Every structure is written in structure tokens, then in C-alpha cells.
mmCIF file of all heavy atoms in Angstrom:
data_model
loop_
_atom_site.group_PDB
_atom_site.id
_atom_site.type_symbol
_atom_site.label_atom_id
_atom_site.label_comp_id
_atom_site.label_asym_id
_atom_site.label_seq_id
_atom_site.Cartn_x
_atom_site.Cartn_y
_atom_site.Cartn_z
ATOM 1 N N PHE A 1 89.914 -156.470 208.560
ATOM 2 C CA PHE A 1 90.859 -155.422 208.146
ATOM 3 C C PHE A 1 90.178 -154.438 207.189
ATOM 4 O O PHE A 1 90.411 -153.213 207.251
ATOM 5 C CB PHE A 1 92.071 -156.081 207.490
ATOM 6 C CG PHE A 1 93.084 -155.115 206.982
ATOM 7 C CD1 PHE A 1 93.921 -154.416 207.855
ATOM 8 C CD2 PHE A 1 93.211 -154.860 205.607
ATOM 9 C CE1 PHE A 1 94.854 -153.525 207.374
ATOM 10 C CE2 PHE A 1 94.147 -153.961 205.133
ATOM 11 C CZ PHE A 1 94.969 -153.299 206.022
ATOM 12 N N ARG A 2 89.336 -154.931 206.282
ATOM 13 C CA ARG A 2 88.619 -154.053 205.356
ATOM 14 C C ARG A 2 87.717 -153.077 206.120
ATOM 15 O O ARG A 2 87.603 -151.902 205.751
ATOM 16 C CB ARG A 2 87.761 -154.878 204.397
ATOM 17 C CG ARG A 2 88.544 -155.580 203.309
ATOM 18 C CD ARG A 2 87.596 -156.043 202.215
ATOM 19 N NE ARG A 2 88.314 -156.839 201.231
ATOM 20 C CZ ARG A 2 88.253 -158.166 201.137
ATOM 21 N NH1 ARG A 2 87.501 -158.830 202.004
ATOM 22 N NH2 ARG A 2 88.923 -158.801 200.207
ATOM 23 N N ILE A 3 87.044 -153.590 207.157
ATOM 24 C CA ILE A 3 86.152 -152.714 207.936
ATOM 25 C C ILE A 3 86.951 -151.570 208.569
ATOM 26 O O ILE A 3 86.527 -150.405 208.555
ATOM 27 C CB ILE A 3 85.411 -153.534 209.013
ATOM 28 C CG1 ILE A 3 84.490 -154.583 208.375
ATOM 29 C CG2 ILE A 3 84.622 -152.622 209.929
ATOM 30 C CD1 ILE A 3 83.367 -154.002 207.545
ATOM 31 N N VAL A 4 88.124 -151.904 209.117
ATOM 32 C CA VAL A 4 88.965 -150.865 209.729
ATOM 33 C C VAL A 4 89.396 -149.843 208.688
ATOM 34 O O VAL A 4 89.333 -148.617 208.912
ATOM 35 C CB VAL A 4 90.182 -151.522 210.418
ATOM 36 C CG1 VAL A 4 91.141 -150.433 210.928
ATOM 37 C CG2 VAL A 4 89.738 -152.408 211.563
ATOM 38 N N VAL A 5 89.846 -150.319 207.508
ATOM 39 C CA VAL A 5 90.283 -149.403 206.443
ATOM 40 C C VAL A 5 89.108 -148.568 205.952
ATOM 41 O O VAL A 5 89.242 -147.343 205.706
ATOM 42 C CB VAL A 5 90.923 -150.197 205.291
ATOM 43 C CG1 VAL A 5 91.231 -149.270 204.105
ATOM 44 C CG2 VAL A 5 92.198 -150.871 205.761
ATOM 45 N N ALA A 6 87.901 -149.187 205.810
ATOM 46 C CA ALA A 6 86.734 -148.448 205.323
ATOM 47 C C ALA A 6 86.326 -147.361 206.312
ATOM 48 O O ALA A 6 86.008 -146.225 205.909
ATOM 49 C CB ALA A 6 85.575 -149.416 205.093
ATOM 50 N N VAL A 7 86.333 -147.677 207.605
ATOM 51 C CA VAL A 7 85.984 -146.667 208.614
ATOM 52 C C VAL A 7 86.987 -145.527 208.595
ATOM 53 O O VAL A 7 86.614 -144.333 208.672
ATOM 54 C CB VAL A 7 85.906 -147.325 210.008
ATOM 55 C CG1 VAL A 7 85.767 -146.252 211.089
ATOM 56 C CG2 VAL A 7 84.734 -148.295 210.081
ATOM 57 N N SER A 8 88.260 -145.851 208.454
ATOM 58 C CA SER A 8 89.293 -144.811 208.406
ATOM 59 C C SER A 8 89.131 -143.949 207.167
ATOM 60 O O SER A 8 89.254 -142.709 207.227
ATOM 61 C CB SER A 8 90.691 -145.457 208.410
ATOM 62 O OG SER A 8 90.873 -146.242 209.576
ATOM 63 N N ALA A 9 88.828 -144.576 206.015
ATOM 64 C CA ALA A 9 88.644 -143.801 204.774
ATOM 65 C C ALA A 9 87.424 -142.901 204.871
ATOM 66 O O ALA A 9 87.455 -141.729 204.426
ATOM 67 C CB ALA A 9 88.523 -144.758 203.597
ATOM 68 N N LEU A 10 86.321 -143.410 205.436
ATOM 69 C CA LEU A 10 85.122 -142.580 205.600
ATOM 70 C C LEU A 10 85.394 -141.395 206.543
ATOM 71 O O LEU A 10 84.926 -140.270 206.303
ATOM 72 C CB LEU A 10 83.976 -143.426 206.138
ATOM 73 C CG LEU A 10 83.349 -144.439 205.161
ATOM 74 C CD1 LEU A 10 82.338 -145.315 205.876
ATOM 75 C CD2 LEU A 10 82.679 -143.700 204.003
ATOM 76 N N PHE A 11 86.141 -141.667 207.600
ATOM 77 C CA PHE A 11 86.444 -140.591 208.546
ATOM 78 C C PHE A 11 87.259 -139.481 207.871
ATOM 79 O O PHE A 11 86.971 -138.289 208.032
ATOM 80 C CB PHE A 11 87.208 -141.160 209.747
ATOM 81 C CG PHE A 11 87.659 -140.121 210.725
ATOM 82 C CD1 PHE A 11 86.758 -139.519 211.601
ATOM 83 C CD2 PHE A 11 88.986 -139.722 210.763
ATOM 84 C CE1 PHE A 11 87.177 -138.558 212.490
ATOM 85 C CE2 PHE A 11 89.416 -138.747 211.648
ATOM 86 C CZ PHE A 11 88.505 -138.168 212.524
ATOM 87 N N VAL A 12 88.248 -139.886 207.101
ATOM 88 C CA VAL A 12 89.088 -138.876 206.426
ATOM 89 C C VAL A 12 88.306 -138.154 205.352
ATOM 90 O O VAL A 12 88.401 -136.913 205.192
ATOM 91 C CB VAL A 12 90.345 -139.552 205.838
ATOM 92 C CG1 VAL A 12 91.147 -138.553 204.998
ATOM 93 C CG2 VAL A 12 91.214 -140.111 206.949
ATOM 94 N N ALA A 13 87.473 -138.907 204.592
ATOM 95 C CA ALA A 13 86.752 -138.298 203.468
ATOM 96 C C ALA A 13 85.694 -137.308 203.927
ATOM 97 O O ALA A 13 85.450 -136.295 203.246
ATOM 98 C CB ALA A 13 86.113 -139.395 202.619
ATOM 99 N N PHE A 14 85.057 -137.531 205.053
ATOM 100 C CA PHE A 14 83.969 -136.667 205.505
ATOM 101 C C PHE A 14 84.363 -135.804 206.706
ATOM 102 O O PHE A 14 83.491 -135.264 207.382
ATOM 103 C CB PHE A 14 82.759 -137.522 205.867
ATOM 104 C CG PHE A 14 82.098 -138.164 204.681
ATOM 105 C CD1 PHE A 14 82.435 -139.452 204.298
ATOM 106 C CD2 PHE A 14 81.162 -137.458 203.923
ATOM 107 C CE1 PHE A 14 81.843 -140.051 203.210
ATOM 108 C CE2 PHE A 14 80.555 -138.063 202.829
ATOM 109 C CZ PHE A 14 80.899 -139.360 202.459
ATOM 110 N N SER A 15 85.628 -135.646 206.948
ATOM 111 C CA SER A 15 86.101 -134.827 208.057
ATOM 112 C C SER A 15 86.869 -133.613 207.500
ATOM 113 O O SER A 15 87.178 -133.555 206.304
ATOM 114 C CB SER A 15 87.019 -135.643 208.968
ATOM 115 O OG SER A 15 88.232 -135.952 208.303
ATOM 116 N N PRO A 16 87.160 -132.661 208.353
ATOM 117 C CA PRO A 16 87.925 -131.488 207.889
ATOM 118 C C PRO A 16 89.301 -131.844 207.339
ATOM 119 O O PRO A 16 89.957 -130.984 206.717
ATOM 120 C CB PRO A 16 88.057 -130.631 209.153
ATOM 121 C CG PRO A 16 86.886 -131.024 209.999
ATOM 122 C CD PRO A 16 86.677 -132.467 209.737
ATOM 123 N N LEU A 17 89.754 -133.089 207.544
ATOM 124 C CA LEU A 17 91.059 -133.477 207.021
ATOM 125 C C LEU A 17 91.093 -133.447 205.496
ATOM 126 O O LEU A 17 92.168 -133.369 204.897
ATOM 127 C CB LEU A 17 91.441 -134.888 207.513
ATOM 128 C CG LEU A 17 91.637 -135.033 209.031
ATOM 129 C CD1 LEU A 17 91.891 -136.494 209.386
ATOM 130 C CD2 LEU A 17 92.816 -134.173 209.484
ATOM 131 N N SER A 18 89.931 -133.542 204.868
ATOM 132 C CA SER A 18 89.883 -133.528 203.402
ATOM 133 C C SER A 18 89.610 -132.152 202.840
ATOM 134 O O SER A 18 89.354 -132.013 201.634
ATOM 135 C CB SER A 18 88.795 -134.498 202.918
ATOM 136 O OG SER A 18 87.514 -134.091 203.412
ATOM 137 N N ASP A 19 89.655 -131.077 203.670
ATOM 138 C CA ASP A 19 89.376 -129.725 203.168
ATOM 139 C C ASP A 19 90.452 -129.254 202.205
ATOM 140 O O ASP A 19 90.205 -128.381 201.353
ATOM 141 C CB ASP A 19 89.274 -128.744 204.345
ATOM 142 C CG ASP A 19 88.030 -129.009 205.191
ATOM 143 O OD1 ASP A 19 87.122 -129.714 204.682
ATOM 144 O OD2 ASP A 19 87.980 -128.559 206.342
ATOM 145 N N GLY A 20 91.638 -129.784 202.315
ATOM 146 C CA GLY A 20 92.719 -129.363 201.428
ATOM 147 C C GLY A 20 92.594 -129.906 200.029
ATOM 148 O O GLY A 20 93.342 -129.479 199.129
ATOM 149 N N LEU A 21 91.683 -130.831 199.790
ATOM 150 C CA LEU A 21 91.515 -131.410 198.451
ATOM 151 C C LEU A 21 90.594 -130.539 197.615
ATOM 152 O O LEU A 21 89.765 -129.776 198.131
ATOM 153 C CB LEU A 21 90.921 -132.821 198.566
ATOM 154 C CG LEU A 21 91.711 -133.847 199.384
ATOM 155 C CD1 LEU A 21 90.934 -135.161 199.463
ATOM 156 C CD2 LEU A 21 93.085 -134.068 198.780
ATOM 157 N N THR A 22 90.745 -130.671 196.333
ATOM 158 C CA THR A 22 89.815 -129.973 195.428
ATOM 159 C C THR A 22 88.451 -130.616 195.537
ATOM 160 O O THR A 22 88.300 -131.735 196.034
ATOM 161 C CB THR A 22 90.321 -130.047 193.989
ATOM 162 O OG1 THR A 22 90.380 -131.432 193.586
ATOM 163 C CG2 THR A 22 91.706 -129.428 193.859
ATOM 164 N N ALA A 23 87.438 -129.897 195.079
ATOM 165 C CA ALA A 23 86.069 -130.412 195.173
ATOM 166 C C ALA A 23 85.923 -131.723 194.411
ATOM 167 O O ALA A 23 85.246 -132.655 194.872
ATOM 168 C CB ALA A 23 85.083 -129.363 194.644
ATOM 169 N N THR A 24 86.593 -131.829 193.259
ATOM 170 C CA THR A 24 86.464 -133.045 192.450
ATOM 171 C C THR A 24 87.056 -134.245 193.181
ATOM 172 O O THR A 24 86.437 -135.314 193.291
ATOM 173 C CB THR A 24 87.157 -132.856 191.101
ATOM 174 O OG1 THR A 24 86.581 -131.723 190.431
ATOM 175 C CG2 THR A 24 86.995 -134.109 190.249
ATOM 176 N N TYR A 25 88.297 -134.060 193.675
ATOM 177 C CA TYR A 25 88.939 -135.165 194.360
ATOM 178 C C TYR A 25 88.251 -135.515 195.689
ATOM 179 O O TYR A 25 88.236 -136.676 196.106
ATOM 180 C CB TYR A 25 90.415 -134.846 194.613
ATOM 181 C CG TYR A 25 91.258 -135.028 193.363
ATOM 182 C CD1 TYR A 25 91.931 -133.951 192.802
ATOM 183 C CD2 TYR A 25 91.372 -136.269 192.770
ATOM 184 C CE1 TYR A 25 92.707 -134.109 191.659
ATOM 185 C CE2 TYR A 25 92.152 -136.441 191.633
ATOM 186 C CZ TYR A 25 92.809 -135.369 191.079
ATOM 187 O OH TYR A 25 93.556 -135.540 189.955
ATOM 188 N N ARG A 26 87.669 -134.467 196.340
ATOM 189 C CA ARG A 26 86.980 -134.750 197.589
ATOM 190 C C ARG A 26 85.746 -135.617 197.339
ATOM 191 O O ARG A 26 85.491 -136.585 198.066
ATOM 192 C CB ARG A 26 86.584 -133.447 198.275
ATOM 193 C CG ARG A 26 85.953 -133.660 199.650
ATOM 194 C CD ARG A 26 85.729 -132.350 200.369
ATOM 195 N NE ARG A 26 85.224 -132.594 201.717
ATOM 196 C CZ ARG A 26 84.940 -131.648 202.602
ATOM 197 N NH1 ARG A 26 85.147 -130.356 202.259
ATOM 198 N NH2 ARG A 26 84.474 -131.936 203.789
ATOM 199 N N VAL A 27 84.961 -135.245 196.322
ATOM 200 C CA VAL A 27 83.782 -136.049 195.974
ATOM 201 C C VAL A 27 84.198 -137.447 195.539
ATOM 202 O O VAL A 27 83.572 -138.447 195.896
ATOM 203 C CB VAL A 27 82.974 -135.344 194.877
ATOM 204 C CG1 VAL A 27 81.841 -136.252 194.373
ATOM 205 C CG2 VAL A 27 82.395 -134.041 195.405
ATOM 206 N N LEU A 28 85.282 -137.521 194.735
ATOM 207 C CA LEU A 28 85.773 -138.827 194.291
ATOM 208 C C LEU A 28 86.207 -139.693 195.476
ATOM 209 O O LEU A 28 85.899 -140.885 195.556
ATOM 210 C CB LEU A 28 86.942 -138.641 193.319
ATOM 211 C CG LEU A 28 87.577 -139.928 192.765
ATOM 212 C CD1 LEU A 28 86.558 -140.719 191.945
ATOM 213 C CD2 LEU A 28 88.800 -139.586 191.919
ATOM 214 N N GLY A 29 86.905 -139.081 196.443
ATOM 215 C CA GLY A 29 87.345 -139.831 197.620
ATOM 216 C C GLY A 29 86.178 -140.285 198.466
ATOM 217 O O GLY A 29 86.166 -141.420 198.992
ATOM 218 N N GLN A 30 85.161 -139.374 198.646
ATOM 219 C CA GLN A 30 83.993 -139.756 199.438
ATOM 220 C C GLN A 30 83.217 -140.894 198.772
ATOM 221 O O GLN A 30 82.791 -141.849 199.432
ATOM 222 C CB GLN A 30 83.090 -138.544 199.632
ATOM 223 C CG GLN A 30 83.686 -137.482 200.540
ATOM 224 C CD GLN A 30 82.840 -136.227 200.626
ATOM 225 O OE1 GLN A 30 81.898 -136.050 199.838
ATOM 226 N NE2 GLN A 30 83.183 -135.341 201.568
ATOM 227 N N ALA A 31 83.054 -140.812 197.436
ATOM 228 C CA ALA A 31 82.336 -141.873 196.717
ATOM 229 C C ALA A 31 83.103 -143.193 196.809
ATOM 230 O O ALA A 31 82.505 -144.267 197.040
ATOM 231 C CB ALA A 31 82.139 -141.469 195.257
ATOM 232 N N ALA A 32 84.434 -143.125 196.618
ATOM 233 C CA ALA A 32 85.222 -144.366 196.686
ATOM 234 C C ALA A 32 85.197 -144.958 198.101
ATOM 235 O O ALA A 32 85.121 -146.181 198.271
ATOM 236 C CB ALA A 32 86.666 -144.089 196.254
#
């Protein structure tokens, strides 16, 4: 289950879906 959640989080963090976030939160989300 963690692998599925991690893949989904990476996809959202490094895809255009995260363009609406501020630069700080985007970097924070990608790092997390």
C-alpha cells in the first residue's frame, strides 16, 4: 500500500497537477 501511495504522490508532485501550488509548497511536496 505504501508503494502505491508513494507512486501516486510522486506522480502528483512532479506532474502539471501541482502547478497550482506555490513554489515553496511544491518543493515541500516533492521532497516529502
Side-chain angles (χ1 to χ4, degrees):
F1 178 74
R2 285 195 186 104
I3 296 296
V4 174
V5 173
V7 171
S8 301
L10 288 173
F11 175 75
V12 174
F14 291 94
S15 68
L17 296 175
S18 61
D19 291 343
L21 301 176
T22 62
T24 302
Y25 282 118
R26 185 173 184 179
V27 173
L28 180 63
Q30 291 175 348

